[in-house]
Amino acid sequence: MERSPSQSPQQSASSSPSSAGSAPASSPRPSGPARSSSADGTPARAAVSYDERLSAPWHWWLYCLLLGVAAALVVYPFGVLPMLGGLAVGAAGSAMVVSSYGSARIRVAGGSLIAGDARIPVSALGGAEVLEPAEARAWRSYKADPRAFMLLRAYVPGALRIEVVDPQDPTPYLYLSTREPDRLAAAVEAARTTAA
């Protein structure tokens, strides 16, 4: 599994499942659309059994507008045009940050679980545990293992914890914030059954 340098602090604080191990079963592959080859050798898009975007809550967009107003007030003494520019730049800049942070996706496709910029074959995954909000808070705080891979969004109350069973991978589990943990667990299990 590989990660990009643009991960959030919560993600970078935990290690990726193949950061130390070099097992072929869970070796990193480039992220992107999962593809397979058709009978004539041409690539075909693999079936996606689960796809979720961890988009930011609606009220965060209101905060973007308020930050734009704050920026406009800062430059108000310089005139109307700078004030309008401050409004536009402040609102647009904060909206870009919110959009980027909320663009993380979780997908199950082509025999792999893709979480953000990380990808791991479902054959390297074990049992999945659905975490209710209270248990999810515990697993992202005092119960957390620093070796775990976490795709964490605190505004998503539920989560799924999936064991990593590859003996050459030091990562004990994946912690994935998700609004539909039951459906994600079922998709991973179905993909693992199909791959077996």
Side-chain angles (χ1 to χ4, degrees):
M1 184 181 301
E2 64 180 26
R3 296 179 299 164
S4 72
S6 62
Q7 286 186 303
S8 67
Q10 294 94 339
Q11 290 173 289
S12 60
S14 52
S15 60
S16 65
S18 65
S19 58
S22 57
S26 62
S27 60
R29 293 194 295 264
S31 301
R35 297 189 177 272
S36 60
S37 295
S38 60
D40 61 356
T42 58
R45 186 173 295 275
V48 176
S49 59
Y50 183 87
D51 190 357
E52 177 184 9
R53 183 172 187 241
L54 302 177
S55 53
W58 67 269
H59 60 271
W60 282 31
W61 300 100
L62 180 59
Y63 298 154
C64 295
L65 179 60
L66 293 176
L67 284 171
V69 170
L73 292 174
V74 168
V75 295
Y76 173 72
F78 300 105
V80 174
L81 287 179
M83 182 184 71
L84 293 176
L87 174 66
V89 169
S94 56
M96 287 174 59
V97 171
V98 169
S99 178
S100 175
Y101 189 67
S103 66
R105 297 185 86 95
I106 300 174
R107 289 179 291 155
V108 178
S112 295
L113 171 65
I114 305 155
D117 294 325
R119 181 183 200 127
I120 186 169
V122 292
S123 59
L125 300 175
E129 178 187 0
V130 173
L131 303 175
E132 298 301 324
E135 193 66 13
R137 278 193 301 275
W139 278 102
R140 65 177 179 250
S141 57
Y142 66 90
K143 282 188 176 181
D145 188 322
R147 299 171 301 155
F149 174 81
M150 303 180 86
L151 179 59
L152 172 62
R153 294 295 183 266
Y155 53 77
V156 178
L160 187 69
R161 190 176 72 88
I162 310 173
E163 293 179 4
V164 176
V165 296
D166 183 352
Q168 294 183 317
D169 194 330
T171 305
Y173 61 86
L174 312 176
Y175 175 100
L176 306 176
S177 293
T178 173
R179 293 182 174 99
E180 300 181 276
D182 292 304
R183 202 163 75 87
L184 176 55
V188 170
E189 181 59 34
R192 190 167 53 236
T193 303
T194 302

